[in-house]
Amino acid sequence: MKVLVIGTGGREHILVHKLNQSSLVNKIFAIPGNDAMSDIAEVHSEIAETEHDRIVEFANENNISWVIIGPEQPLTDGLADKLQAKQIKVFGPNKAAAQIEGSKLFAKQLMEKYNIPTAEYKEITNKFDALQYIETCEYPVVLKKDGLAAGKGVIIAENYEEAVEAVHLLYSQELGTVVFEQFLEGEEFSLMTFVNGDYVVPFDCIAQDHKRAFDEDKGPNTGGMGAYCPVPHIDQKILERTNQEIAQPIAQAMYKEGYMFFGVLYIGVILTNEGPKVIEFNARFGDPEAQVLLTRMESDLMQHILDLEAKREITFKWKDASIVGVMLASKGYPGKYEKGKIVSGFNLDGNYFVSGLKKDKDNFVTSGGRVILALGEGHDIVSAKANAYKAVEKIKSEALFYRKDISNKAIK
Ligand code: AMP
Ligand code: GLY
């Protein structure tokens, strides 16, 4: 069958790579894709992610069996709806269901109604009320802009002064509403869950991301600076509890409310003293979590998608190995950074997944903030980490930085 992957990043690179291993898939297309995928997929960078009509037309003309949508923007913009209207199968939720990611408020209200454990919150629509609220609230407090922000719309204010600054910043931006959340203390992890309406199958392997830009979780939030799996110190019991208390109930809640979710629901969890609580939902695979999880996955992703569609049993098979991925990003990210810098020294055989590089004559040059994820595999996290950093060392570039402590939380 022919499959079309939508998106340009490292997550889409691993999706293409993983689908290429499936005996069910004989041709892969990518829109807009990236130059690092062009050995294994027909890349159509002349079509933009936002050109929904052209994507539908392309899928029709090329007899695409499945479209797999990687990023959040086309999902919350309703690309799945447009494809489905033409009877094209899509892995990824429709616009209504994608609100679980697109609107913090939607997610919060649903969790409140169905008693799903999460931080307490308050929605404040204007600056005046927000300035009043922060005079009396508990600290630290978390401010989240309603709407998509690529992981960068969240500010943790440690005290009143920081909160004032955050309020001025967030209310000066287009979207008015900000959600104020209680700060949750604990370790974070990411659980990918296959959802087809009321049929819910969480991955039985979780991953841990590193959201902050610098070592020891310092600096601003980013899209993710590295990830690893499995997470040995968060055991199966916690995973089962997260399934029972969060994954199953949120999917049933959406189903009951008439939102037909089909795809991967990403559950961002903080493991507090009171148990697992939700920090966020995403309507898609995490990036860079997908790169480590799908590298560890031995079973056939396309088969899983077909089984999910038919609501058949899904049996994951994982390599008996740990995977660590270290993100190399343009210096300055998540703030301002330069583009067009040469990067070399890497290969494209499954050890590196590319987020922000493009071909310029014979060279790859930077074209984005997060640039390339270097992967390491090993019999445990320690050896996987060592191999990941060996892969990092091979990359030649003056323009990139990376964290040195990816996976340290799993290493005593
Ligand atoms: P989000 O975009 O909602 O995932 O938030 C980005 C990051 O901010 C999370 O990965 C957490 O590290 C942090 N964060 C968000 N909400 C909270 C919270 N209620 N308590 C503590 N940390 C949070
Ligand atoms: N790595 C976090 C995300 O994909 O949102």
Side-chain angles (χ1 to χ4, degrees):
M1 90 186 133
K2 293 181 182 175
V3 179
L4 167 62
V5 174
I6 306 294
T8 58
R11 166 186 46 217
E12 290 72 33
H13 191 184
I14 183 82
L15 284 168
V16 165
H17 178 83
K18 185 75 184 141
L19 292 165
N20 189 46
Q21 294 167 352
S22 169
S23 57
L24 299 164
V25 177
N26 23 49
K27 181 147 191 186
I28 307 166
F29 300 83
I31 293 177
N34 73 45
D35 291 333
M37 307 169 183
S38 54
D39 288 349
I40 44 178
E42 194 177 297
V43 174
H44 286 270
S45 54
E46 75 283 3
I47 306 177
E49 222 169 80
T50 46
E51 291 180 292
H52 294 188
D53 292 336
R54 282 184 78 188
I55 294 173
V56 172
E57 197 185 324
F58 181 95
N60 252 330
E61 281 174 2
N62 290 281
N63 294 315
I64 300 293
S65 307
W66 278 92
V67 179
I68 298 178
I69 303 177
E72 57 274 25
Q73 194 73 55
L75 292 167
T76 54
D77 288 348
L79 176 58
D81 308 60
K82 284 227 163 154
L83 289 157
Q84 279 159 354
K86 298 282 180 202
Q87 277 73 48
I88 300 163
K89 289 188 178 182
V90 190
F91 183 74
N94 60 23
K95 185 173 180 165
Q99 282 185 87
I100 194 82
E101 169 164 10
S103 167
K104 301 269 183 208
L105 203 54
F106 174 87
K108 278 292 188 188
Q109 285 167 347
L110 205 57
M111 285 189 275
E112 191 172 40
K113 182 165 175 189
Y114 288 88
N115 278 319
I116 295 165
T118 186
E120 281 170 29
Y121 77 102
K122 195 170 168 60
E123 172 203 3
I124 304 182
T125 52
N126 68 75
K127 196 165 165 177
F128 181 78
D129 291 347
L131 287 170
Q132 255 188 350
Y133 176 74
I134 58 173
E135 282 182 12
T136 53
C137 74
E138 277 185 36
Y139 286 95
V141 69
V142 184
L143 292 85
K144 298 185 176 183
K145 209 169 77 142
D146 196 36
L148 293 181
K152 289 161 258 167
V154 175
I155 297 174
I156 298 169
E158 299 288 343
N159 50 46
Y160 176 72
E161 287 70 35
E162 286 182 19
V164 172
E165 206 179 305
V167 164
H168 285 300
L169 183 73
L170 292 182
Y171 285 94
S172 68
Q173 296 169 0
E174 260 167 59
L175 298 161
T177 291
V178 175
V179 175
F180 286 72
E181 257 188 34
Q182 165 202 21
F183 178 80
L184 296 176
E185 195 99 49
E187 225 178 292
E188 286 183 53
F189 65 90
S190 311
L191 173 64
M192 306 300 135
T193 303
F194 279 135
V195 177
N196 178 5
D198 59 347
Y199 182 59
V200 184
V201 186
F203 283 29
D204 49 12
C205 174
I206 58 174
Q208 206 167 44
D209 188 14
H210 296 67
K211 293 250 168 77
R212 301 293 195 100
F214 309 127
D215 284 7
E216 292 170 22
D217 294 333
K218 302 245 162 65
N221 267 318
T222 68
M225 292 299 293
Y228 67 94
C229 73
V231 182
H233 58 291
I234 297 179
D235 62 21
Q236 217 50 36
K237 264 191 250 151
I238 298 294
L239 178 58
E240 188 43 38
R241 205 170 152 192
T242 309
N243 180 29
Q244 291 305 328
E245 294 175 13
I246 298 171
Q248 300 291 337
I250 191 69
Q252 302 305 339
M254 276 195 283
Y255 187 70
K256 234 171 136 178
E257 299 283 329
Y259 298 99
M260 284 304 137
F261 194 103
F262 179 70
V264 169
L265 179 68
Y266 167 125
I267 308 177
V269 184
I270 287 195
L271 185 53
T272 70
N273 289 337
E274 296 163 13
K277 294 192 180 186
V278 175
I279 339 170
E280 65 164 342
F281 292 114
N282 294 322
R284 44 149 182 103
F285 278 110
D287 182 345
E289 289 94 328
Q291 290 90 313
V292 293
L293 285 165
L294 296 179
T295 296
R296 184 162 186 252
M297 184 186 279
E298 265 181 346
S299 39
D300 185 332
L301 176 65
M302 196 65 231
Q303 185 63 55
H304 290 330
I305 292 173
L306 298 180
D307 290 341
L308 182 67
E309 183 198 22
K311 299 191 177 178
R312 283 190 297 259
E313 196 180 334
I314 293 177
T315 312
F316 297 102
K317 206 164 161 242
W318 305 99
K319 281 185 201 166
D320 189 14
S322 295
I323 314 289
V324 173
V326 179
M327 186 63 77
L328 291 98
S330 297
K331 285 178 186 164
Y333 172 81
K336 268 200 198 138
Y337 54 85
E338 289 182 53
K339 292 182 184 176
K341 303 285 179 191
I342 293 179
V343 178
S344 63
F346 60 91
N347 58 43
L348 293 173
D349 56 9
N351 290 320
Y352 298 91
F353 290 98
V354 167
S355 314
L357 284 175
K358 63 174 189 182
K359 263 273 168 73
D360 181 20
K361 299 189 190 92
D362 291 336
N363 295 314
F364 273 106
V365 300
T366 57
S367 60
R370 292 192 296 170
V371 170
I372 185 167
L373 188 81
L375 288 181
E377 198 171 315
H379 61 275
D380 61 7
I381 295 285
V382 173
S383 64
K385 180 187 172 193
N387 288 332
Y389 282 99
K390 273 185 208 156
V392 169
E393 297 303 323
K394 288 188 182 149
I395 294 183
K396 294 191 192 67
S397 170
E398 297 293 304
L400 305 178
F401 78 99
Y402 58 89
R403 280 181 60 160
K404 313 256 182 331
D405 63 345
I406 302 302
S407 79
N408 277 8
K409 287 204 178 86
I411 299 171
K412 297 270 152 22

